[in-house]
Amino acid sequence: MFSFQSKKIYLFMFLGIQLVVIALFSREAYKKSVTYFIHILRKDNASIPTGRNQTSTAVVANGGDVYANLSRLSKAHSQGENLTYCPKTSPLIGGRINVRIHSNFTMQEVQRKNPLVVRGGRYRPPDCEARHRTAIIIPHRDREHHLKVLLYFLHPFLQRQQLNYGFYVIHQAGNYTYNKAKLMNVGFREAMKDEDWDCLFFHDVDLIPEDNRNTYVCDANPKHVSVAIDKFGYELPYNQVFGGVTALSPLHYLKMNGFPNNYWGWGGEDDDIGDRVSLAGMSISRPSLKVGRYKMIKHKLDKGNNANTKRFNLLRKTRQTWKQDGMNTVESRVISREYHPLYTNITVDVGTKAGLPPPPPPPKAATMADQIQHHG
Ligand code: UD2
Ligand code: MN
């Protein structure tokens, strides 16, 4: 039996050891190794499927492959109408994605790799009711090779996040000067006709996300998402930047009267949109640099998208113009709406600086003589 005295000694020794351990761990170097250790533990956990609900928990990205184990999802069948909500955090979300840009694959192969995506590029989780409905709006003209790469990476990326999502490619018809912001207004209008989306992601065709923890859902404020792009050394280039990938709820979008319609050519429209956010009494939210990472597919300035020399003058006037020009004044003509397997394509005539041309005459009605001839 220990005496009371020796028990006391043991107690002090025990407390002493604890103090030493705490002191060591709180030193900077130890802090780092502790976080590293926790990180390893988490990583291990992520790749171990738990027994419960095998179909979904087993599907976690391995070695940065955004498609890793994803095919198992396609085996999960919906259990009828009454699905329960998906978990708040998807168990399928992986971490860093290994984005290697090449294009020696076909659109059909992307289609085969995404068997649960249906007509028009729509998807919903097969085994639970999605908590979020996100539309991806992509401005486009003559960038088919970029579009293919984006779809290859973004479809599985979003499936891992268990979203109900849809892809809209807004294609500017003709070869008049490009107008990205106006195309986005058209994209908003057309997407909202289809579904009560609760978030819209306005997405450059050439930006490929590199971290699956960058969830494609909206924040309380308009979100600038592409904060860390390889082209800018994975740093925010300047504080008010609002180009690349942004996420707004329909309410955010309407509150700021959408995007400007009068920026023709490259540049300025993104800063105008950033200004609109604050003019409408909101602020910009952002993911962390760790998670909001993107690779930009290398490209030159496109034909028909020369730098807009008027942009600095326009930008000085945003405060006066934002309520008169935007979603409330967008004039355009949808030429076609095509439901491709991996996206909905909307080809639109956004007109020119001079406005929208008069509509083409309707096809000539058949004359009585034609009809008689046809029936005779
Ligand atoms: C920056 C912005 C971009 C936009 C642009 C100025 C970032 C990361 N990106 O990108 O959001 O504000 O400057 O206008 O800050 N596009 C076509 N075909 C064309 C022209 C443009 O599809 O002929 C689309 C395509 O989706 C492209 C986007 O418009 O990604 C932006 O054009 P960009 O990539 O030439 O501009 P960039 O990289 O300087
Ligand atoms: Mn670009």
Side-chain angles (χ1 to χ4, degrees):
M1 281 287 275
F2 290 120
S3 70
F4 178 69
Q5 200 62 28
S6 62
K7 261 189 195 162
K8 233 171 152 184
I9 290 169
Y10 279 114
L11 193 68
F12 276 125
M13 267 171 65
F14 179 68
L15 283 175
I17 291 168
Q18 272 197 330
L19 275 175
V20 171
V21 170
I22 290 168
L24 281 176
F25 272 45
S26 62
R27 277 172 53 189
E28 197 50 37
Y30 281 90
K31 259 191 202 162
K32 272 190 189 149
S33 49
V34 170
T35 3
Y36 178 69
F37 187 60
I38 292 172
H39 188 72
I40 292 176
L41 275 181
R42 285 219 184 114
K43 247 185 164 170
D44 282 353
N45 269 342
S47 58
I48 300 168
T50 64
R52 192 183 56 86
N53 195 359
Q54 279 285 330
T55 46
S56 54
T57 42
V59 192
V60 175
N62 275 321
D65 176 9
V66 72
Y67 280 97
N69 301 325
L70 203 59
S71 58
R72 285 196 217 167
L73 254 186
S74 60
K75 296 201 185 87
H77 288 295
S78 115
Q79 299 121 29
E81 290 293 297
N82 302 322
L83 294 179
T84 53
Y85 272 111
C86 300
K88 283 211 171 89
T89 307
S90 166
L92 319 180
I93 291 182
R96 215 33 91 69
I97 292 162
N98 182 13
V99 174
R100 223 169 36 83
I101 292 164
H102 66 91
S103 56
N104 45 6
F105 57 89
T106 63
M107 205 64 118
Q108 284 73 30
E109 282 170 86
V110 183
Q111 213 181 310
R112 273 199 294 281
K113 284 176 93 66
N114 293 280
L116 297 188
V117 174
V118 297
R119 184 174 178 266
R122 301 286 295 268
Y123 174 89
R124 38 177 68 214
D127 51 355
C128 57
E129 183 69 36
R131 284 176 185 268
H132 308 277
R133 293 181 301 276
T134 300
I136 314 289
I137 317 271
I138 304 162
H140 182 253
R141 184 164 76 183
D142 296 339
R143 296 269 198 111
E144 278 73 16
H145 50 307
H146 290 182
L147 182 61
K148 191 177 72 176
V149 177
L150 180 68
L151 293 170
Y152 176 91
F153 283 103
L154 209 45
H155 269 294
F157 180 94
L158 299 171
Q159 286 160 36
R160 289 190 174 284
Q161 298 182 350
Q162 296 187 314
L163 303 174
N164 173 350
Y165 71 77
F167 272 89
Y168 293 87
V169 172
I170 316 296
H171 182 95
Q172 180 170 337
N175 43 27
Y176 188 74
T177 312
Y178 202 68
N179 189 332
K180 189 194 138 178
K182 191 170 185 182
L183 287 171
M184 299 297 82
N185 282 339
V186 176
F188 175 80
R189 191 187 63 205
E190 293 301 315
M192 293 310 291
K193 282 182 189 167
D194 278 358
E195 169 116 25
D196 194 11
W197 301 110
D198 47 36
C199 186
L200 297 108
F201 265 67
F202 299 92
H203 210 295
D204 278 13
V205 72
D206 50 24
L207 288 174
I208 315 295
E210 289 188 275
D211 200 299
N212 200 209
R213 289 165 292 193
N214 175 9
T215 43
Y216 273 31
V217 297
C218 274
D219 279 2
N221 277 291
K223 177 161 73 166
H224 175 242
V225 188
S226 53
V227 289
I229 304 180
D230 61 345
K231 184 177 167 181
F232 305 118
Y234 291 112
E235 296 283 349
L236 200 65
Y238 55 100
N239 215 13
Q240 281 306 304
V241 65
F242 204 67
V245 178
T246 56
L248 292 92
S249 72
L251 220 61
H252 295 150
Y253 201 80
L254 294 176
K255 212 170 161 190
M256 58 198 267
N257 194 18
F259 295 176
N261 296 301
N262 56 345
Y263 282 78
W264 298 89
W266 181 93
E269 89 297 337
D270 47 347
D271 295 332
D272 188 293
I273 296 164
D275 287 349
R276 280 169 183 250
V277 172
S278 43
L279 288 167
M282 300 180 282
S283 54
I284 297 176
S285 86
R286 291 197 166 97
S288 69
L289 290 176
K290 184 181 103 189
V291 159
R293 279 172 76 93
Y294 286 81
K295 267 203 177 119
M296 191 194 278
I297 307 174
K298 290 198 174 52
H299 66 82
K300 298 203 175 76
L301 206 60
D302 301 85
K303 248 195 238 152
N305 195 29
N306 286 339
N308 176 6
T309 51
K310 305 236 168 65
R311 63 189 190 279
F312 302 110
N313 289 338
L314 288 168
L315 268 170
R316 271 195 286 273
K317 289 188 231 143
T318 311
R319 182 178 286 276
Q320 287 98 59
T321 55
W322 73 278
K323 284 187 182 161
Q324 281 101 54
D325 173 56
M327 201 56 214
N328 60 351
T329 54
V330 56
E331 273 196 320
S332 64
R333 192 171 297 123
V334 170
I335 294 174
S336 69
R337 189 183 245 265
E338 296 150 14
Y339 298 94
H340 293 272
L342 295 173
Y343 61 94
T344 297
N345 185 87
I346 292 165
T347 300
V348 60
D349 184 353
V350 290
T352 66
K353 281 175 207 166
L356 208 61
K364 234 174 66 193
T367 62
M368 193 62 88
D370 287 340
Q371 283 183 28
I372 291 165
Q373 219 176 17
H374 186 73
H375 288 292

